[in-house]
Amino acid sequence: MSAEREHQWWQKGVIYQIYPRSFQDANGDGVGDLRGILSRLDYVQWLGVDAVWLSPIYPSPMADFGYDISDYCSIDPLFGSLDDFDELVRQVHRCGMKLVLDFVPNHSSSEHPWFKESRRSRDNPKRHWYIWRDPAPGGGPPNNWLSQFGGAAWEFDDATGQYYYHAFLKQQPDLNWRNPQLREAMLNVLRFWLDRGVDGFRVDVIWHIVKDDEFRNNDPDPDYHPGLAPHRQLLATYNTDRPEVHQVIEKMRDVLNEYDHRMMVGEVYLPVERLVTYYGGEGEGVHLPFNFQLIELPWHARIIADAIEKYEGLLPPHGWPNWVLGNHDNPRIATRIGAAQARVAAMLLLTLRGTPTLYYGDELGMHNVPIPPDRVQDPFEKNVPGLGLGRDPERTPMPWNDQAHAGFSAAAPWLPIGEDAHSRNVEAMRADSTSILALYRRLLELRRQESALHIGSYAAVPAHENLLAFRRRKGDSLFLVALNFGHEPAVLDVTGRAPCGKIVLSTHLDHEQEVFDCRLELRADEGVIVRLDS
Ligand code: NOJ
């Protein structure tokens, strides 16, 4: 079997995250929907990604914009119907792409019929599908655990005199994965969507889903300082990353293994030593535990170079790497590092070894859009105001053209559109051969064409200060990637360490095919890919 065929689609391909509320509105209510996504699939295909991951589209009271699910096996009317969904699966597949859904196993909505039953009485058959505890001996919450969205993680329920646990909003009660019936019901949710043709899942807060069986108090975090989210006052020792979580993941994986070529990528915000444990044993863990280091680390070449090296070194033998530059919970990359470096970041994301995940709109260089106080939507911002933690700025509508509402909707959109949408939009940037969109497309094309770039080996190339350099190789095909993280020109001298070759792509989208003779002069904020003579 050829090496190409030995690798699965989720190893070779690029995942594109769509936040459905903000991609395209087809029915004119100011909120994106499935018909809207269908109408834009030609763009996604043109861009050149391989899989589409949709943030939640299930029925939901939308307290946390779909991450509070009241029916795991249906579609919220805001987004469309199951028929629309089936059509989307068909069309995504027709375009040669894969479809990945968000699976939210840690919590449901408090409006889910399961929770409504659970809270009815202490002996209700669904009582232990959620996490109920008596008050502490002197009264008050059972322990000191804090909600990620501010305040205590325990909500008292008058009707039955107990508290329930919610790691996020009180409208998002945590499910009890230690309960076998709950577990089976949730695994059947996976089967429901797999049977409909879904190719995989992004699993929400997977490191949260099992809690300490003794409900021990968390200790204070000595590194906490005001400015961080309030829950960071405590180390999350006992409410997250419990050893038993891996048994649950194995059960999920068993379900995926019942089908061909399906995968799951797990959301895990943990230090890299802990992150890699989520690969589990071969065939047992998540295929890809999301690696958020490019989001979390300062944008310095040396820091990133060290992080790549460390991550590569920690991967288990069967562990396939992955990289993420942005998502719906973090500031846009262009805002964080600036427009010029966003192009360098694009080249890094799409040339590193491992599966890249690209957040919609980052290919346009979209930046955080300021949200006036009266338009704030995100419950995180509402509960914990003033710390800049709100996620609305990175969730604003995709600008398609310079028409009304940037072609996103016929109506005023649910979040404001960026002020630069008259020029930073798909139509205008498709027409500009030097735009960041053109760069993304070119990078995706090159990555797809060159097996060295999508499945090849990785080797660091020593570099100094603002430069990051590495080689990718597959058989005779060899590439050097050199990235200038600085705003000044810089030289990479690889005399004696690299053969000659030709520059095949610069982030500036000019001077292609120039001969490279071991001294690479990079302009300010420039990255280049060099095809080396082998
Ligand atoms: C992680 C999701 O990415 C985030 O958007 C959500 O608010 C929390 N999980 C709770 O589900």
Side-chain angles (χ1 to χ4, degrees):
M1 203 188 283
S2 77
E4 277 287 313
R5 293 200 33 219
E6 280 164 28
H7 285 83
Q8 300 285 324
W9 63 267
W10 50 268
Q11 296 175 300
K12 292 187 282 191
V14 176
I15 303 172
Y16 184 70
Q17 180 190 357
I18 289 181
Y19 193 69
R21 294 183 72 89
S22 290
F23 201 58
Q24 176 66 55
D25 173 21
N27 68 355
D29 62 359
V31 176
D33 44 43
L34 297 186
R35 289 267 148 210
I37 295 171
L38 270 163
S39 74
R40 295 298 187 183
L41 274 187
D42 57 345
Y43 164 76
V44 180
Q45 192 183 19
W46 169 86
L47 183 60
V49 295
D50 303 273
V52 172
W53 149 35
L54 300 181
S55 286
I57 49 175
Y58 318 102
S60 165
M62 302 289 167
D64 189 22
F65 295 104
Y67 284 96
D68 49 321
I69 296 169
S70 53
D71 179 355
Y72 282 100
C73 296
S74 190
I75 303 293
D76 195 288
L78 189 68
F79 296 122
S81 64
L82 270 175
D83 285 345
D84 296 332
F85 177 78
D86 290 340
E87 178 65 7
L88 186 63
V89 175
R90 266 194 301 277
Q91 293 305 329
V92 167
H93 287 165
R94 192 188 54 80
C95 294
M97 296 188 291
K98 306 287 184 187
L99 189 65
V100 174
L101 286 188
D102 222 302
F103 179 53
V104 187
N106 181 68
H107 45 268
S108 73
S109 161
S110 52
E111 294 301 308
H112 196 294
W114 297 343
F115 188 69
K116 288 185 175 168
E117 276 196 51
S118 183
R119 78 190 314 177
R120 207 165 281 154
S121 67
R122 288 193 185 204
D123 57 6
N124 186 281
K126 297 229 165 34
R127 184 67 170 181
H128 301 296
W129 286 34
Y130 292 85
I131 298 171
W132 292 97
R133 304 286 292 169
D134 285 333
N143 67 19
N144 71 352
W145 296 357
L146 295 173
S147 156
Q148 305 272 306
F149 286 154
W154 295 97
E155 181 71 10
F156 188 69
D157 198 50
D158 278 329
T160 54
Q162 284 190 312
Y163 285 84
Y164 67 86
Y165 176 66
H166 57 91
F168 295 89
L169 299 174
K170 66 175 187 226
Q171 297 94 327
Q172 293 168 296
D174 278 45
L175 290 159
N176 178 14
W177 276 82
R178 294 180 188 271
N179 179 286
Q181 283 100 39
L182 174 277
R183 208 157 58 207
E184 209 37 48
M186 288 300 278
L187 296 178
N188 282 335
V189 170
L190 294 177
R191 293 190 182 96
F192 175 86
W193 294 107
L194 290 166
D195 288 341
R196 285 196 114 86
V198 160
D199 300 288
F201 299 96
R202 172 270 188 187
V203 186
D204 192 63
V205 294
I206 199 164
W207 84 111
H208 267 263
I209 56 186
V210 179
K211 341 297 167 187
D212 181 39
D213 54 358
E214 295 173 43
F215 293 90
R216 283 168 280 190
N217 277 331
N218 282 327
D219 290 327
D221 185 340
D223 295 331
Y224 172 78
H225 56 86
L228 293 177
H231 73 273
R232 305 266 303 264
Q233 289 168 72
L234 301 179
L235 296 166
T237 313
Y238 294 112
N239 56 335
T240 69
D241 194 27
R242 302 308 301 161
E244 302 94 314
V245 72
H246 298 287
Q247 293 158 20
V248 171
I249 293 173
E250 257 184 78
K251 300 271 180 230
M252 293 180 187
R253 179 64 184 259
D254 286 346
V255 173
L256 293 180
N257 291 347
E258 291 166 15
Y259 299 75
D260 286 336
H261 309 300
R262 314 297 168 102
M263 75 95 170
M264 61 177 165
V265 33
E267 186 197 22
V268 185
Y269 285 92
L270 284 174
V272 68
E273 293 81 359
R274 299 293 318 145
L275 174 71
V276 295
T277 66
Y278 283 73
Y279 284 103
E282 193 160 6
E284 293 174 349
V286 296
H287 300 76
L288 303 172
F290 263 146
N291 167 17
F292 295 123
Q293 293 181 89
L294 297 181
I295 290 180
E296 293 177 319
L297 291 173
W299 195 251
H300 289 308
R302 300 278 54 79
I303 294 176
I304 304 272
D306 291 348
I308 299 169
E309 209 58 24
K310 182 173 173 188
Y311 176 62
E312 282 277 350
L314 284 169
L315 290 171
H318 59 279
W320 186 256
N322 78 92
W323 297 93
V324 187
L325 212 50
N327 61 29
H328 62 295
D329 294 326
N330 288 285
R332 290 263 179 196
I333 185 76
T335 298
R336 196 159 71 83
I337 65 175
Q341 280 295 312
R343 298 174 77 111
V344 174
M347 185 170 277
L348 177 65
L349 176 72
L350 293 171
T351 55
L352 276 172
R353 190 177 86 92
T355 308
T357 300
L358 170 60
Y359 184 48
Y360 87 94
D362 279 352
E363 75 274 24
L364 304 178
M366 271 177 83
H367 51 75
N368 279 11
V369 175
I371 310 292
D374 62 337
R375 294 205 57 187
V376 169
Q377 305 279 340
D378 184 13
F380 195 14
E381 177 65 28
K382 289 181 181 169
N383 286 1
V384 186
L387 293 179
L389 298 172
R391 300 164 298 173
D392 295 328
E394 61 261 21
R395 296 176 174 181
T396 61
M398 180 83 166
W400 294 99
N401 55 42
D402 65 358
Q403 319 267 292
H405 310 305
F408 163 72
S409 172
W414 74 291
L415 279 175
I417 288 174
E419 275 182 0
D420 56 353
H422 56 89
S423 57
R424 190 179 299 286
N425 64 62
V426 170
E427 194 178 290
M429 296 178 99
R430 270 177 91 147
D432 173 1
S433 61
T434 63
S435 68
I436 185 170
L437 177 59
L439 173 64
Y440 262 100
R441 185 157 185 264
R442 192 68 195 94
L443 282 164
L444 285 159
E445 189 184 27
L446 192 62
R447 184 185 170 91
R448 180 186 297 255
Q449 282 164 354
E450 299 294 342
S451 58
L453 293 178
H454 58 255
I455 53 171
S457 62
Y458 168 91
V461 170
H464 299 287
E465 298 183 1
N466 288 329
L467 293 183
L468 174 66
F470 51 89
R471 271 193 290 259
R472 302 291 313 277
R473 178 197 286 276
K474 180 84 205 146
D476 290 344
S477 170
L478 181 60
F479 288 87
L480 169 70
V481 179
L483 306 165
N484 183 1
F485 279 50
H487 307 309
E488 303 290 334
V491 174
L492 179 73
D493 194 338
V494 284
T495 313
R497 283 184 280 132
C500 297
K502 280 194 172 125
I503 296 174
V504 289
L505 186 59
S506 156
T507 49
H508 291 20
L509 291 176
D510 55 7
H511 89 166
E512 292 187 20
Q513 298 298 343
E514 260 179 36
V515 174
F516 155 70
D517 60 0
C518 299
R519 225 183 98 84
L520 204 49
E521 294 186 9
L522 292 166
R523 289 168 284 177
D525 304 297
E526 183 182 27
V528 297
I529 303 177
V530 181
R531 187 194 300 278
L532 297 174
D533 304 331
S534 50

